[in-house]
Amino acid sequence: MLSSLLVKDYMIGDHLAFTSDTNLLKAVHTLLERGLSGAPVVDENSRLIGFLSEKDCLKAALDASYFRREEGTVQDFMSRDVTSISGDASLIDAIQMFLGKHYRCLPVVEGSRLVGQISRRDILKGLEKLRREAR
C-alpha cells in the first residue's frame, strides 16, 4: 500500500525557501514565526543549494557569542550537503530516510529544482487521512 503512495501527493508545494543572501536574523525570525525547524536555500533559478536548520541557527548564535560576530547571512551558516528526495519517490522511501537520519523535513526536487518539502508530520497526517477514509 505505502509503496504506491508518492511524496509529491503529500509534500507541501507552497513552501518557504531562503536565498543565500537572506539576513540570518530575518531567517531565524521567519522560521520561528512559521513554527518550522528549517527551510531549503535556493539560487535565483530555484535550484537547491543548501538547507538552514535550527541546528545551523544555534551554531550561528554560539559563533556570535564567542567571536562577537555580526549577524551574517544564510550562506554563512547553511548546510551545503543537503539530502533531498524526488516527488516521484514512494512514501516508504521518505519514511526510511527519516528513520535513518535525524531530519525533520526533506526538500523535494525535480532534478536540482526545488518543488516543495515534506516533513515527518506531513507523512503522518497523510497516513491518518488515509486511515479515516478507509473506514
Side-chain angles (χ1 to χ4, degrees):
M1 175 188 129
L2 284 180
S3 59
S4 66
L5 303 176
L6 301 179
V7 166
K8 64 183 172 187
D9 298 324
Y10 296 88
M11 71 178 197
I12 296 173
D14 182 21
H15 57 277
L16 170 67
F18 298 119
T19 60
S20 60
D21 63 347
T22 302
N23 176 282
L24 184 66
L25 291 179
K26 181 179 178 196
V28 170
H29 176 76
T30 303
L31 291 175
L32 292 171
E33 187 176 70
R34 294 198 184 185
L36 299 173
S37 61
V41 182
V42 296
D43 67 10
E44 61 279 351
N45 296 314
S46 295
R47 288 185 304 227
L48 182 65
I49 59 169
F51 196 88
L52 183 70
S53 68
E54 290 171 324
K55 185 176 180 180
D56 297 324
C57 296
L58 288 173
K59 186 169 59 174
L62 192 58
D63 259 16
S65 173
Y66 277 134
F67 302 113
R68 304 276 186 238
R69 196 176 163 176
E70 294 298 314
E71 42 193 74
T73 61
V74 166
Q75 74 182 350
D76 298 328
F77 295 97
M78 69 183 190
S79 300
R80 295 176 192 281
D81 185 22
V82 181
T83 299
S84 61
I85 191 165
S86 165
D88 292 325
S90 75
L91 279 190
I92 289 177
D93 295 333
I95 292 168
Q96 288 175 332
M97 290 175 81
F98 283 126
L99 292 175
K101 301 286 184 179
H102 63 277
Y103 309 129
R104 291 184 179 187
C105 63
L106 291 168
V108 180
V109 295
E110 282 181 9
S112 61
R113 196 170 137 309
L114 181 69
V115 294
Q117 62 184 22
I118 190 163
S119 69
R120 294 186 246 176
R121 182 167 293 195
D122 296 328
I123 292 173
L124 290 173
K125 283 180 183 178
L127 295 176
E128 177 66 15
K129 181 180 177 189
L130 284 173
R131 187 185 67 77
R132 281 194 311 263
E133 290 172 356
R135 287 185 177 174

